Amino acid sequence: MKFRPQKPSRNQWQRRLPRVNIKIRDGRFQIMGMNTWYSYWREPYHLLLTLPWSGFLLLIAVTYLASNGIFALAYLAGGDCVENARPGSFLDMFFFSVQTLASIGYGAMYPKTTYCNLVVTIEAMASPVAIAVMTGLAFARFSRPTARVMFSRVAIITPHEGMPTLIFRTANQRGNQILEAQMQVYLIRDEVTAEEQFIRKIYDLQLIRNHSPSFTLSWLGMHVIDESSPLYGISAESLIETNTTITVLLTGIDETIAQSVHARYDYTGREILWNYRFVDVIYRTAEGHRYIDYNFFHDVSPLD
């Protein structure tokens, strides 16, 4: 007897989540619309945090003008309710609303009827709420911690201490320190189970050093490919055939703002090079001082 899934009821269809589209590009899985500001249209708070600054400022300006326009129409509906305002003048009512919303204080124009005072009361109550919301959103956008961490464009598999080793490198692009930096690396690939079920399986890759008390300049991520490694016995072709992805997560505490920051990077099978070495970026001057030249950060050279 074959199992047949029960057809969802109408209410279940209404509660069903929207479809998520995934595509594979050069071995990299991409979720369509992920991390784009317009994908948060159902979540206004996240939308306002991810909206580009130009769009955010434009939205504030449009909202400000529209709200004052609505209150101007409300004042017009009350007839001659504002002293020294031209009867039927939308501009006078608009600028009267601007003075009320911003709590500037009235000059020549002021309310003279009960209806106008009621509208002024409503606008005066809405004003601090609107200002608090806009200020809070602007502060939240400014205060979001970010990490300027650079990852090498490719990873390499090369002998190290007599063992094949997966190596990539990272660099802190800011002139400060990331304290208690932690690095986790995961191998994600397509597999078929013994029951012939397709799954996307995740493995942990152990690094020679996954913790740094102070991440200041550069950091080599190194995973030894021994018999216990999920990469043991693989080839460049199998990495591509199984849509293998190496995901690197780096977290730490930004010394300047004392907040947690994180960075992520993915390497596909096509971005993992075999029998190459990274070009040195650390040099020594004639006086014995050392410096780093990031112009060669992504460069590799074949082994002799």
Side-chain angles (χ1 to χ4, degrees):
M1 180 177 178
K2 293 184 177 180
F3 172 76
R4 293 184 178 179
Q6 183 180 3
K7 185 178 181 180
S9 64
R10 183 177 180 182
N11 290 335
Q12 288 175 319
W13 280 114
Q14 291 174 347
R15 292 194 299 268
R16 188 173 64 177
L17 293 175
R19 183 176 65 181
V20 177
N21 295 322
I22 302 175
K23 71 175 182 179
I24 302 176
R25 184 178 181 182
D26 295 331
R28 192 188 304 273
F29 277 74
Q30 296 180 344
I31 299 177
M32 304 303 295
M34 186 177 183
N35 295 329
T36 51
W37 65 268
Y38 50 80
S39 63
Y40 295 104
W41 63 273
R42 292 189 177 185
E43 303 178 45
Y45 179 72
H46 285 81
L47 175 64
L48 292 171
L49 287 183
T50 55
L51 194 67
W53 271 107
S54 57
F56 179 73
L57 296 176
L58 179 62
L59 180 62
I60 289 179
V62 171
T63 303
Y64 182 79
L65 295 175
S67 59
N68 281 294
I70 292 173
F71 278 107
L73 294 175
Y75 291 126
L76 282 175
D80 187 16
C81 63
V82 178
E83 189 67 36
N84 296 327
R86 292 170 294 179
S89 173
F90 176 81
L91 281 179
D92 283 359
M93 297 303 176
F94 179 86
F95 291 121
F96 177 75
S97 173
V98 169
Q99 296 177 30
T100 303
L101 190 65
S103 302
I104 295 175
Y106 301 117
M109 293 187 293
Y110 55 89
K112 66 178 182 180
T113 65
T114 302
Y115 170 83
C116 186
N117 278 305
L118 288 175
V119 177
V120 166
T121 301
I122 296 173
E123 189 171 8
M125 292 173 61
S127 172
V129 175
I131 294 175
V133 170
M134 289 190 295
T135 304
L137 286 171
F139 178 78
R141 292 173 63 94
F142 273 113
S143 61
R144 279 191 304 171
T146 57
R148 290 191 60 196
V149 175
M150 179 169 56
F151 293 85
S152 58
R153 296 192 186 100
V154 297
I156 60 174
I157 294 179
T158 188
H160 175 74
E161 300 290 344
M163 293 292 294
T165 306
L166 171 72
I167 303 176
F168 57 90
R169 58 186 177 189
T170 65
N172 183 7
Q173 293 182 281
R174 284 203 176 104
N176 66 349
Q177 301 184 61
I178 298 179
L179 305 178
E180 296 297 330
Q182 303 278 345
M183 188 185 294
Q184 289 86 35
V185 183
Y186 303 94
L187 169 69
I188 308 173
R189 66 186 175 196
D190 297 342
E191 290 188 4
V192 178
T193 66
E195 295 77 21
E196 297 185 353
Q197 296 290 324
F198 170 82
I199 61 172
R200 186 85 173 146
K201 199 164 184 180
I202 303 176
Y203 297 91
D204 294 331
L205 296 185
Q206 300 299 322
L207 298 179
I208 295 178
R209 180 169 62 90
N210 64 352
H211 173 266
S212 176
S214 176
F215 177 31
T216 306
L217 298 175
S218 181
W219 184 358
L220 276 180
M222 308 175 69
H223 167 73
V224 178
I225 305 177
D226 53 18
E227 294 182 357
S228 63
S229 169
L231 288 171
Y232 185 75
I234 52 89
S235 63
E237 292 76 15
S238 63
L239 289 176
I240 298 174
E241 291 173 358
T242 57
N243 293 314
T244 298
T245 301
I246 305 293
T247 298
V248 183
L249 300 179
L250 193 150
T251 59
I253 301 174
D254 190 293
E255 181 188 40
T256 305
I257 59 178
Q259 292 189 31
S260 297
V261 292
H262 67 276
R264 189 198 73 176
Y265 196 84
D266 295 329
Y267 295 99
T268 66
R270 300 181 187 276
E271 296 168 339
I272 300 175
L273 306 181
W274 295 67
N275 297 320
Y276 277 79
R277 60 180 291 272
F278 280 113
V279 174
D280 290 336
V281 294
I282 300 179
Y283 299 91
R284 187 188 299 272
T285 64
E287 294 79 14
H289 302 298
R290 293 183 179 183
Y291 68 94
I292 294 181
D293 187 351
Y294 288 115
N295 290 320
F296 304 101
F297 184 80
H298 303 285
D299 294 350
V300 296
S301 61
L303 296 179
D304 298 332

